[in-house]
Amino acid sequence: MSLTATPIRFLLSPSLGEVKEHVRAELFSRALAQRLGRPILVEIAPSYEVLERELAAERVELVWGTAEQCTHFESRARAVLRAVRAGQGSYYSALLCRASRPLTLGTLEGTRAAWVAPRSTAGYLLPTRYLTESGHPPADTFREERFFGTYRKALLAVLEGEADVAAIYASHPEEDTVRAYLAEHLGADERQLLPFAYTHATPADGLIITSRLSEADTATLVSVLTSLAGSTGGLEPMLGLFDSEGFVLASEATPRPHMPRAVRQTDYLAAEVDAEQRCLRLWTPTGRAFGRDVREAEGRPLGEALGMEAGGALAALARSARHSGGGRVEYRLEVEGETRWFAAEATLRTPTDPAREATTAVLVCDVTELRAQEERLYRLASFSLLHPEPMLELGPDGVLHYANPAAHKAFTDLFPRGPRHPVVEASLAAARRASTGDTPSVHWEGRHWELTVTHLVDPERLRVFAKDVTVRKQMEAQLFKADRLAALGSLAGAVGHEMGNPLAYMLANIGFAREELTRVAEVLRSQDHALSTEVADVLEALTEAADGAHRLKTIVQDLRMLSRAPPEQHKTVDVIPLLEHALSLVRVELRHRARLETDFQPVPRVEGDESRLTQVFVNLLLNALQAMDEPDATNNVLRVAAYTAETGELVVEIKDTGRGMSPEVVARIFEPFFTTRRTSTGLGLSVSHAIVTGLGGTLRADSREGEGTLLTVMLPAAQEMSLLETGFGDEPDRAAEGK
């Protein structure tokens, strides 16, 4: 039956942990979705309480619930399927202690208990109920009881001495069965724990199908889930998620006995062949293999018994095994009109009796569905390896447990710096303040990285994804700067407009006062009047006031320049004479501060305004000269160069050997009112930048502290003028000269 495409929400118990179980849950859901024809979204609940709330509110279709939850919700659910373990739909809880310090029920007094969670059946409810019924109520027996969230963490607490007693589920109340489940969680460390008591049986935990699913969809899902134990390949590996071989409806008092199903293809084949690849023994569960009846195969060659296509490949593998001692091969066959994949292994068997001939054991397994699941497994497993952005896994102490290739490429010093690496430090800090909701970021080696930090529960680690947001940060900075400049431009325009008229009045009145006082001073001097000296002082003060007003007028003009686009230009300009004129305007400052070197190459004409471009070059030259100290004038060099770029643009470079600037200062030098000199208005470079960019060019600054600064102007060549028309085509290069 084909189900609708609406996703099924599958909520899992938090005791399943976070790492291996996540992968298993994803594989199980994908395999199940493949059979249903309907997507399944897997989530692991953060707590049993959340799981129960979602279940009660019917916001989920499928839930992996505890035994108590299965019992409680059975009356209102579409169906409840109990897990089958070792052929039973019920299980036990085993009480455990350290093997080095064995306990009994009579020696529990004053010990410490490590439980899974308050609503975990085998990890808390079942053992505490059993202890109470046995006359050892936990509140009176244990000096300390703690919840650890997962079985693995509770078991590790006992291993590491944080607790003395824990509990785990078991399909049978016997030690070998318990050890199998312990090995699942602890590996070889299971030998360090010892079961010393077993509870009564309880109906198993299982899957709860809610009324959000229709009856038809429920019937399909139940059919798939209850038939898992008899299916081939495919889902069995994923059933390890539940430590189960299948499911049985809760309405059935006991699990149905396993009935072999009729199969069309080979599930499993075992054979023993002699040196000529004749079958000494051959067995399959159904008596059929590769679409053939093989119950009378003894004494016949493999190729004849199984068909040349299947038997020939196995015979070749058996011959190879006689020379090498063993071998393995996977191959594809068409079996009864269906393409199937098989894995075959051959092993040479040497008899203990030298008089007997060695034989070859051959095992064949149908792995068609397993291969389909492996493709998804490899895709999941390769995520971190192929993820284009850095991904790390850190311990709580900052120890690096894993970093994908992208992380090692981005952060080449991860291993040497370890927990002291800025990315690791930022991740740990973000984990500590997880409740703030802030997105952590780190600036490292010129790049900006945003970090996404996720907590892994079992084992306790941090998974960190780092995203390179350098380009975004640069764009944000540019937008911020543009907004700031726009605001400053509006303010500058308003201020400049409002100050224009008062300045005009001030300059006119100061000029009138100076003229009148000059006339009065001449009359007083001719009469040798005592007031002539005082009038001269007033005239000097008015002269200084006029100078200040003219300087203020220049500032107002610069402010108004920032607030509007440059006027349209309708002529081409030869830049070299403008540079020479600008140099002549600063010659007094130049004479006291540095030695000049020029290198003017043939350059194209540009579109622009001569006075504005001259203003740009004067501003840049003064900025360069003022960066060099007068006492070191003999060693200071101001180099001015003009040439044509490969792209055809005109380039003017002004380089000084002054103090240089830090990267922070360089980033702000074109901002209005930003200056590092107390006597500067901070408008020269910003106005120059506005003029150059208004002409379609660029103005860039490169500087290093102690090495000087290079200011570069690039302007597009005028379209209507060729290089020969500039007048430089036949002239020799102007050689560098010192002035």
Side-chain angles (χ1 to χ4, degrees), residues 243-257:
D243 290 316
S244 166
E245 64 259 23
F247 300 95
V248 63
L249 278 169
S251 57
E252 299 182 18
T254 57
R256 291 170 295 184

Side-chain angles (χ1 to χ4, degrees), residues 110-123:
T111 58
R112 299 161 299 167
W115 306 124
V116 175
R119 303 201 183 190
S120 170
T121 302

Side-chain angles (χ1 to χ4, degrees), residues 9-16 28 43-45 47-56 60-74 77 79-85 89 91 119-123 125 151 169 202-210 225 241-242 244 247-248 250:
R9 187 180 175 213
F10 184 14
L11 196 58
L12 295 174
S13 161
S15 63
L16 291 174
F28 179 81
E43 300 175 37
I44 293 185
S47 68
Y48 285 96
E49 289 75 16
V50 170
L51 183 144
E52 194 158 306
R53 283 200 301 269
E54 294 294 287
L55 188 56
V60 61
E61 287 82 8
L62 187 61
V63 169
W64 177 255
T66 66
E68 277 75 11
Q69 288 169 339
C70 288
T71 301
H72 179 73
F73 287 96
E74 184 174 358
V80 171
L81 296 101
R82 303 279 185 172
V84 177
R85 299 180 180 91
Y91 66 91
R119 303 201 183 190
S120 170
T121 302
L125 295 175
Y151 283 107
Y169 51 85
T202 186
D205 45 351
L207 294 167
I208 303 171
I209 304 174
T210 72
L225 291 169
L241 175 66
F242 314 107
S244 166
F247 300 95
V248 63

Side-chain angles (χ1 to χ4, degrees), residues 186-423:
L186 302 176
D189 288 339
E190 59 89 9
R191 299 184 185 91
Q192 299 181 44
L193 295 181
L194 177 70
F196 65 90
Y198 301 92
T199 69
H200 304 299
T202 186
D205 45 351
L207 294 167
I208 303 171
I209 304 174
T210 72
S211 58
R212 281 174 61 94
L213 281 183
S214 67
E215 291 186 3
D217 290 348
T218 300
T220 303
L221 189 55
V222 168
S223 175
V224 171
L225 291 169
T226 55
S227 64
L228 294 183
S231 65
T232 63
L235 286 180
E236 278 96 333
M238 274 63 75
L239 286 172
L241 175 66
F242 314 107
D243 290 316
S244 166
E245 64 259 23
F247 300 95
V248 63
L249 278 169
S251 57
E252 299 182 18
T254 57
R256 291 170 295 184
H258 173 64
M259 298 295 293
R261 64 182 179 87
V263 292
R264 291 180 301 145
Q265 69 276 353
T266 304
D267 294 323
Y268 187 86
L269 178 145
E272 185 178 5
V273 299
D274 61 16
E276 281 72 37
Q277 287 76 53
R278 288 191 299 268
C279 297
L280 302 178
R281 282 180 290 277
L282 190 148
W283 176 87
T284 71
T286 62
R288 292 180 62 80
F290 309 109
R292 290 170 171 262
D293 189 327
V294 295
R295 286 174 289 189
E296 304 294 333
E298 282 79 2
R300 299 163 62 189
L302 276 173
E304 181 183 326
L306 303 177
M308 286 306 299
E309 188 175 9
L314 295 179
L317 178 64
R319 283 194 296 270
S320 174
R322 294 190 71 86
H323 297 289
S324 61
R328 187 181 189 276
V329 67
E330 286 193 14
Y331 57 97
R332 182 176 60 186
L333 289 178
E334 293 291 326
V335 179
E336 297 180 342
E338 185 178 2
T339 301
R340 310 293 298 179
W341 279 92
F342 299 91
E345 293 186 5
T347 306
L348 183 64
R349 299 182 62 188
T350 304
T352 55
D353 184 357
R356 298 186 61 183
E357 183 183 23
T359 59
T360 306
V362 179
L363 300 176
V364 182
C365 183
D366 187 323
V367 293
T368 305
E369 295 189 37
L370 188 59
R371 281 179 64 96
Q373 295 308 316
E374 283 178 344
E375 181 181 350
R376 292 174 172 81
L377 174 63
Y378 294 145
R379 190 171 296 131
L380 284 172
S382 65
F383 169 76
S384 60
L385 185 67
L386 302 179
H387 191 60
E389 295 176 342
M391 191 194 89
L392 304 84
E393 281 195 8
L394 309 171
D397 52 357
V399 172
L400 180 67
H401 290 279
Y402 174 77
N404 68 351
H408 288 298
K409 184 177 180 180
F411 314 120
T412 55
D413 52 353
L414 262 178
F415 279 125
R417 295 177 69 94
R420 297 187 303 277
H421 195 282
V423 172

Side-chain angles (χ1 to χ4, degrees), residues 406-414 416-417 421-423 442-449 468 470 474:
H408 288 298
K409 184 177 180 180
F411 314 120
T412 55
D413 52 353
L414 262 178
R417 295 177 69 94
H421 195 282
V423 172
V442 63
H443 184 241
W444 180 243
E445 294 185 342
R447 313 295 297 177
H448 292 273
W449 299 91
D468 189 346
T470 305
Q474 291 172 344

Side-chain angles (χ1 to χ4, degrees), residues 389-390 410-411 439-444 446-452 465-478:
E389 295 176 342
F411 314 120
T439 300
S441 62
V442 63
H443 184 241
W444 180 243
R447 313 295 297 177
H448 292 273
W449 299 91
E450 272 190 3
L451 307 179
T452 302
F465 289 92
K467 183 177 181 63
D468 189 346
V469 293
T470 305
V471 174
R472 193 187 79 195
K473 289 288 187 182
Q474 291 172 344
M475 291 180 65
E476 288 175 351
Q478 291 172 359

